[in-house]
Amino acid sequence: MSKKTLTLMSKDKQLFNIEEHLAVQSVTIRNMVKEDGASSVIPLPRVDSETLALVIEYLNRQQAPEEDEDYVKKFVDERGEIPTLLELAQAALDLDIKKLMDAACMKVADLIKDFTLEEVREALRIENDRTPEEEKAIRDEFQWAF
Amino acid sequence: MLRAGYGGGTCDVCFDAYYHRMAMAKNGSQDKVTGNNPDSTNIFNVIKDNHVESMENTIIPDDVVRNILSRLSAKPLMRFRCASKHWNSLITDPCFINSRARRMILMPSGLTGLYAFDPKHQNVVKLTYPFEHQIYKCKIIGTLNGIVLLVLEKRLCGPCIFILYNPLTRATKKLFDLPRPCCKREAEGYAYGFCHGNIIIIRLDCLCPSSDERDNCNVFSLEKSALTARKTTFRIGEYGFLVDNVGMLLNGFLHWIKRMYVDYVLIILVLDVTEMVLTRMDGPRISTNGYNLKSSVLGMLHGSLCMSNRWSNGFDVWVKGHSEWSKQYSFALPIYRDGCPNNLDVCILEEGRILVKDGDSNQIIMCHLFERYYDIYKCASEIQAIFRSEVSGRAQFYDVGKPFEYVESLVSPSDMCQSMENTFIPDDVLRNILSRLSAKPLMRFRCASKHWNSLITDPCFINSRSRRMILMPSGLTGLNAFDPKHQDIVKLTYPFEDQIYKCKIIGTLNGIVLLVLENLEKGAWTALKTNFRLCEFGFLVDDVGMFLNGFLHWIQHMYVDYMFIILVLDVTEMVLTRMDGPRISVDCYNLKSSVLGMLRGSLCMSNRWSNGFDVWVKGHSEWSKQYSFALPFYRNGCPNHLDVCILEEGRILVKDGVSNQIIMCHLYERYYDIFKCASEIQAIYRFEYGKRVRYDVGKLFEYVESLVLPSDICHINAFYLPHQSHQRSSLIRPPSDVYPPSPASTPLLQHQASPFTIAPFLFTPPP
């Protein structure tokens, strides 16, 4: 039986090939393949090529099921940069790959849990939309958390 | 009416105390009852704090606002951004702009400004064009993320100015100047697009045919905001000319169609942007003449390069396969029975749509290749300008450029690169991350932004996070909680740690724990007389009562025959009735394991035997032993000090004080987990078995974390609790949880029937 390949297209119009039986780990792709046979290119308009390359690397892993958990953990550990992990989580969300999504989010949660407010704002690109007074009110209420 | 609450009664130190205290909180108004009785009568104190605020909903739901806003055009939309912070956040939400998704076709008209055709509303809009009054020649190179790249040129002299322009927000940004190409010839090639994760702009200057120099290639990277000029290894204008000087970027390669002077064949020039290597690729084998040149454009179909080609009354689309071109679509336009006009602009849009602009009959044709149909839009007189400037007079040969599709966005031209990095993180990702954080960072990050605060305080989020903890009271030393999921024991912050209070847990509700601290009176109490004395002829086995359907239940151990009875207190009427307990033998050891609980909506009671325990469930009239759970590792008999707690969903928690372990039994699934406790929680046990062994630190409680404020609990559970009970009732059968405690209270029971109860007296025993 010949292995069918699918082509994925990233946001910046780069093309990536992946074997179909590996790609269907993504629920989104599985549904697409089911619906129309996905004869052509699958566009992923929100995933950039670096992230897609990572996702493909993840999907291509050859791991025994019992080692899989460790592998996923190691996979995200090696890419310990918050922006990369966020991109990865977003891609996993779009592609509906639950394991990858959970692992990436877990890693981000681990990284940010000791962050101060300023650090977390910077890391997760949050714009502070409170006035200093409003912020102080919350700080006072949950003083123990700061 | 909701049947939930805290119930409590204190029976202090010795068996015949006359000192009772109960506290309860019911929904709706907040009632607190306490009984304080030095003599023979009980006096209850009740307080009512009627701070039920009016729940007027003056806020329009976001979905409605979004729906309204999505129908507005750019101008009111931009104006309303100022209306409030909330509206601004709604409007600037990328999801909103995406859903609004106005796809417009930009129609360049050279000197006179920008026009856009809106296929959905079938009209042509004149876009505001910031350079209208200046005599620029304007050329559109492309659009990306709702931002248009314009090249402006003064008519006679001066440099070419590259400008990014967002037609929706009307923001512009000047990027750079380039000198005009020499010989008054047009620059040969332009490109604007993604390349290796970056946005690049390319202008390829074609030098005079007479000079020997090679071409200049100017590459501008938006990310680095830097312009680099490089010599190419080739001369692009040799032996032919580019049909369309705006190239097509695909996978890091730039493509142009070139028509050769000699044999009039079309070839494709492919430029590798990083290496600046030009290769040449054959085009599809089509015959060309002077007329269909303009209709030969490159595009992308299914991720592959494609090219359109016109024939007499329709056009073909050729798609580049692995090695060669194939004609995949042939589209006839029956309206051109007598042959297509010469002046036909073709543009290949995304998703297999092809736009044809007919300059002779002033119409726009949108062809859908995949679905095989087309729409024709007759253009009104106001847009004749689009066509006129092209066709008439000296502008005939002047290329105003092809149409482009753009999708409106609020991206600012100046931070286009940053916004490429997807400045917003989807809420689903954020929620997933946040749900893994413990309480402290979670509370800290509430401050990060309003949006984060709203995410964290969303009741659904906290429900989904759903950390179920088992509270382990330890008397003086504070609060410990056992987390079955992560299998560890957490010491909870306890605000009264430094004060010498004796602390007792009465119950938990919606994540709020009711603590009773000795010597601490909170609130005022109203007195009510009761018609009974709680501690006559027996003592309460567990002084924290169990609330079920508005009745409070205690197990009482009689002095005389050592039998268990259940005391049932009707809280509204203050009528106490007595109910027989299950017929079990009691000794002083299994007393502690006899606790009340709820199983499938019915009252139940646990009872220990030598190496396991039974669960008795109260049926319509009598008790029946429904579950018998053996704990095989207690082969030599259970230890005496076994704390039992009946949790929801048929789970029973057993705390073994001797071997320091916690056993979680799942009654329905018939399995149990054992958690060995580490040394840090020895305190829970040590205290109990120390000098105050007989002092009951209280039983175990399960609580689910929530952000409910203690002062708000009455308001919250009006919409919070039904949610939970709904979930539960969907898991199990509809609870028929009412049984008659005594004839005296039956009329009241009917009055209090819960919404789920169809017939108050019909009790169906669980399977």
Side-chain angles (χ1 to χ4, degrees):
Chain A
M1 198 184 90
S2 66
K3 283 175 181 165
K4 206 177 153 194
T5 17
L6 297 177
T7 309
L8 310 181
M9 184 171 69
S10 67
K11 179 167 75 179
D12 40 4
K13 310 267 193 276
Q14 308 261 12
L15 301 178
F16 292 86
N17 288 327
I18 181 166
E19 284 170 19
E20 188 182 300
H21 71 280
L22 294 171
V24 294
Q25 292 171 75
S26 146
V27 180
T28 314
I29 293 179
R30 191 188 310 152
N31 291 340
M32 279 172 147
V33 171
K34 241 187 248 166
E35 265 167 36
D36 56 21
S39 50
S40 51
V41 174
I42 298 173
L44 303 170
R46 300 206 305 185
V47 185
D48 63 34
S49 44
E50 283 89 10
T51 314
L52 189 56
L54 280 183
V55 173
I56 299 237
E57 186 189 332
Y58 168 80
L59 291 176
N60 276 327
R61 75 199 186 282
Q62 306 283 342
Q63 224 67 39
E66 58 269 18
E67 291 166 16
D68 206 48
E69 289 295 319
D70 295 338
Y71 175 80
V72 178
K73 218 161 167 278
K74 200 164 142 263
F75 183 82
V76 292
D77 275 349
E78 281 167 9
R79 286 144 191 100
E81 304 277 309
I82 287 182
T84 318
L85 289 168
L86 287 175
E87 293 287 332
L88 207 56
Q90 285 172 46
L93 178 74
D94 284 354
L95 286 167
D96 206 345
I97 310 172
K98 193 163 182 310
K99 256 190 202 167
L100 185 60
M101 162 98 174
D102 285 347
C105 288
M106 187 73 228
K107 178 75 186 165
V108 176
D110 270 355
L111 288 171
I112 66 169
K113 70 172 181 254
D114 295 324
F115 277 22
T116 62
L117 264 190
E118 288 69 32
E119 284 168 332
V120 82
R121 278 195 192 118
E122 197 193 324
L124 295 185
R125 309 188 286 255
I126 310 169
E127 201 177 317
N128 183 14
D129 50 4
R130 284 176 201 281
T131 59
E133 293 81 45
E134 286 171 323
E135 191 177 321
K136 190 173 179 299
I138 295 201
R139 273 177 185 271
D140 288 348
E141 191 180 341
F142 298 104
Q143 232 166 16
W144 57 271
F146 289 91
Chain B
M1 176 177 163
L2 292 159
R3 280 91 185 280
Y6 298 125
T10 306
C11 190
D12 231 349
V13 188
C14 58
F15 300 154
D16 51 351
Y18 296 110
Y19 182 60
H20 310 289
R21 175 169 302 158
M22 343 176 357
M24 62 150 197
K26 274 185 348 189
N27 71 309
S29 65
Q30 192 172 3
D31 303 349
K32 283 193 178 133
V33 184
T34 183
N36 193 347
N37 179 18
D39 293 323
S40 57
T41 49
N42 287 352
I43 299 166
F44 282 77
N45 304 302
V46 177
I47 175 176
K48 296 200 174 193
D49 313 336
N50 284 319
H51 53 231
V52 184
E53 281 155 31
S54 61
M55 294 288 282
E56 262 181 272
N57 215 344
T58 49
I59 303 161
I60 309 165
D62 282 358
D63 289 335
V64 175
V65 177
R66 260 189 225 110
N67 199 322
I68 295 170
L69 292 177
S70 68
R71 286 152 207 279
L72 291 175
S73 66
K75 200 171 170 182
L77 205 62
M78 292 303 112
R79 191 165 63 238
F80 293 158
R81 279 182 62 173
C82 271
S84 78
K85 273 188 189 173
H86 181 62
W87 273 44
N88 185 34
S89 72
L90 284 182
I91 292 171
T92 51
D93 182 6
C95 296
F96 166 72
I97 286 290
N98 271 356
S99 72
R100 194 167 163 271
R102 298 228 172 164
R103 285 164 175 268
M104 313 275 257
I105 316 283
L106 274 187
M107 300 277 189
S109 67
L111 297 179
T112 52
L114 285 177
Y115 291 87
F117 168 63
D118 183 348
K120 201 169 158 196
H121 301 86
Q122 302 208 8
N123 58 5
V124 173
V125 196
K126 189 169 193 309
L127 295 181
T128 325
Y129 171 56
F131 312 101
E132 196 141 4
H133 302 300
Q134 301 161 42
I135 36 163
Y136 281 127
K137 181 179 117 185
C138 168
K139 187 168 164 60
I140 302 176
I141 306 299
T143 68
L144 217 58
N145 290 348
I147 299 208
V148 183
L149 175 66
L150 302 173
V151 178
L152 305 178
E153 237 178 89
K154 286 227 168 91
R155 182 160 297 181
L156 292 174
C157 57
C160 296
I161 305 164
F162 285 72
I163 284 179
L164 291 176
Y165 175 52
N166 185 334
L168 182 70
T169 59
R170 300 183 191 177
T172 56
K173 190 194 180 198
K174 186 179 163 214
L175 287 179
F176 55 91
D177 291 344
L178 275 181
R180 271 188 208 215
C182 67
C183 302
K184 291 186 183 173
R185 279 188 60 171
E186 277 225 48
E188 278 289 359
Y190 289 98
Y192 170 47
F194 290 106
C195 179
H196 304 300
N198 184 8
I199 301 177
I200 57 163
I201 297 166
I202 289 180
R203 191 182 82 166
L204 199 64
D205 296 336
C206 199
L207 300 176
C208 288
S210 54
S211 84
D212 287 337
E213 277 193 78
R214 286 166 304 173
D215 293 345
N216 242 335
C217 189
N218 301 294
V219 183
F220 184 81
S221 151
L222 268 177
E223 196 175 46
K224 295 180 204 130
S225 187
L227 183 71
T228 44
R230 295 173 66 174
K231 284 277 176 199
T232 56
T233 55
F234 52 86
R235 291 192 55 185
I236 204 162
E238 255 172 349
Y239 317 120
F241 64 95
L242 296 189
V243 173
D244 179 6
N245 59 11
V246 177
M248 155 107 198
L249 258 177
L250 188 67
N251 275 345
F253 292 92
L254 196 48
H255 303 78
W256 288 278
I257 306 177
K258 183 173 180 181
R259 188 175 191 230
M260 303 307 279
Y261 292 138
V262 182
D263 49 2
Y264 300 118
V265 290
L266 297 183
I267 61 159
I268 315 281
L269 290 180
V270 185
L271 175 67
D272 180 339
V273 177
T274 39
E275 301 285 314
M276 283 298 154
V277 176
L278 191 80
T279 45
R280 172 197 154 135
M281 183 165 78
D282 285 334
R285 283 163 191 282
I286 45 179
S287 63
T288 44
N289 53 29
Y291 299 121
N292 67 0
L293 260 190
K294 213 176 173 184
S295 318
S296 298
V297 290
L298 290 177
M300 196 181 65
L301 213 61
H302 294 312
S304 310
L305 194 68
C306 70
M307 185 170 146
S308 66
N309 176 249
R310 205 191 66 187
W311 40 279
S312 65
N313 48 3
F315 55 87
D316 299 329
V317 177
W318 294 74
V319 177
K320 176 85 169 71
H322 187 58
S323 57
E324 55 187 20
W325 294 85
S326 60
K327 187 160 83 178
Q328 294 216 343
Y329 296 93
S330 196
F331 206 92
L333 293 170
I335 51 168
Y336 295 131
R337 219 160 300 179
D338 308 322
C340 293
N342 291 338
N343 218 315
L344 219 55
D345 270 315
V346 177
C347 173
I348 302 178
L349 307 177
E350 282 178 13
E351 292 154 25
R353 290 165 306 143
I354 291 188
L355 186 104
V356 179
K357 186 172 79 166
D358 177 354
D360 287 355
S361 52
N362 281 347
Q363 56 194 6
I364 293 168
I365 304 154
M366 176 76 87
C367 309
H368 298 258
L369 276 192
F370 303 153
E371 295 90 2
R372 305 208 67 77
Y373 73 92
Y374 61 94
D375 297 321
I376 301 179
Y377 308 106
K378 289 270 174 206
C379 292
S381 54
E382 75 260 22
I383 62 140
Q384 303 272 335
I386 307 174
F387 305 109
R388 205 183 310 130
S389 63
E390 274 175 73
V391 185
S392 68
R394 58 183 180 167
Q396 178 91 51
F397 285 97
Y398 168 62
D399 183 15
V400 279
K402 57 180 185 180
F404 286 95
E405 183 174 50
Y406 92 104
V407 185
E408 288 186 346
S409 83
L410 288 174
V411 175
S412 151
S414 46
D415 59 24
M416 187 168 178
C417 271
Q418 284 93 307
S419 62
M420 286 300 308
E421 296 163 11
N422 228 340
T423 44
F424 79 104
I425 302 159
D427 283 355
D428 288 333
V429 172
L430 280 184
R431 267 192 219 103
N432 197 323
I433 293 171
L434 291 175
S435 68
R436 287 154 203 281
L437 291 175
S438 63
K440 198 171 171 180
L442 206 61
M443 290 297 114
R444 188 163 65 232
F445 295 159
R446 276 181 66 174
C447 249
S449 79
K450 281 186 181 170
H451 180 62
W452 275 45
N453 188 32
S454 70
L455 280 182
I456 294 172
T457 51
D458 182 5
C460 296
F461 166 72
I462 289 287
N463 267 358
S464 73
R465 194 166 164 272
S466 181
R467 298 229 172 161
R468 284 162 175 271
M469 312 275 256
I470 317 284
L471 276 188
M472 304 271 191
S474 68
L476 295 177
T477 51
L479 285 178
N480 291 295
F482 169 64
D483 182 348
K485 199 171 159 195
H486 300 88
Q487 302 206 11
D488 59 351
I489 298 224
V490 195
K491 192 164 191 320
L492 297 181
T493 323
Y494 171 55
F496 311 104
E497 199 141 3
D498 301 329
Q499 301 160 43
I500 34 160
Y501 282 127
K502 183 178 118 188
C503 167
K504 186 164 165 62
I505 303 176
I506 306 298
T508 68
L509 207 62
N510 288 346
I512 302 222
V513 182
L514 176 66
L515 302 174
V516 176
L517 308 174
E518 292 286 302
N519 308 322
L520 183 78
E521 291 284 345
K522 267 190 181 172
W525 308 79
T526 321
L528 276 182
K529 284 261 181 190
T530 55
N531 62 349
F532 58 89
R533 290 187 51 191
L534 199 56
C535 286
E536 263 172 342
F537 317 121
F539 65 96
L540 298 186
V541 172
D542 179 6
D543 56 2
V544 177
M546 152 104 197
F547 241 112
L548 188 65
N549 286 336
F551 294 90
L552 199 46
H553 304 77
W554 287 278
I555 306 178
Q556 188 170 30
H557 190 219
M558 301 308 280
Y559 294 139
V560 182
D561 50 2
Y562 299 116
M563 286 299 289
F564 282 125
I565 61 158
I566 314 279
L567 291 178
V568 183
L569 175 67
D570 178 340
V571 177
T572 41
E573 298 286 312
M574 284 301 155
V575 177
L576 191 80
T577 47
R578 175 197 152 135
M579 185 165 78
D580 285 333
R583 282 164 191 282
I584 43 180
S585 64
V586 210
D587 52 58
C588 62
Y589 296 124
N590 68 0
L591 260 188
K592 213 175 174 186
S593 318
S594 300
V595 291
L596 289 177
M598 194 180 69
L599 215 59
R600 300 194 208 264
S602 307
L603 192 70
C604 69
M605 185 168 147
S606 66
N607 176 248
R608 204 192 67 190
W609 41 279
S610 65
N611 49 3
F613 55 86
D614 300 329
V615 178
W616 294 74
V617 178
K618 177 81 169 76
H620 184 59
S621 57
E622 56 188 18
W623 293 85
S624 60
K625 187 161 85 178
Q626 294 218 342
Y627 296 95
S628 197
F629 206 94
L631 295 172
F633 53 88
Y634 289 135
R635 218 162 299 180
N636 307 319
C638 295
N640 291 338
H641 292 287
L642 220 54
D643 271 318
V644 178
C645 171
I646 303 178
L647 307 177
E648 285 179 12
E649 292 153 23
R651 289 167 307 143
I652 291 188
L653 189 106
V654 179
K655 186 173 80 165
D656 177 353
V658 178
S659 53
N660 279 346
Q661 57 194 6
I662 293 167
I663 305 148
M664 177 76 89
C665 309
H666 298 258
L667 276 192
Y668 304 153
E669 295 90 4
R670 306 208 67 78
Y671 74 93
Y672 60 92
D673 296 319
I674 301 179
F675 307 110
K676 290 267 175 208
C677 294
S679 55
E680 74 259 24
I681 63 139
Q682 304 271 339
I684 307 175
Y685 304 108
R686 205 182 310 131
F687 184 77
E688 277 174 73
Y689 295 101
K691 52 176 180 175
R692 298 181 76 176
V693 177
R694 308 206 57 178
Y695 167 63
D696 183 14
V697 279
K699 61 175 185 179
L700 309 171
F701 289 93
E702 182 174 50
Y703 93 108
V704 185
E705 288 185 351
S706 85
L707 290 173
V708 177
L709 279 179
S711 51
D712 275 350
I713 182 166
C714 283
H715 306 270
I716 298 290
N717 64 19
F719 52 86
Y720 205 66
L721 244 156
H723 188 60
Q724 287 183 335
S725 48
H726 172 74
Q727 278 183 341
R728 217 171 40 233
S729 59
S730 65
L731 285 173
I732 57 170
R733 310 168 313 107
S736 42
D737 46 9
V738 178
Y739 59 89
S742 80
S745 61
T746 39
L748 205 87
L749 197 71
Q750 273 172 327
H751 169 69
Q752 282 194 328
S754 89
F756 330 108
T757 322
I758 308 127
F761 294 103
L762 270 179
F763 178 77
T764 30

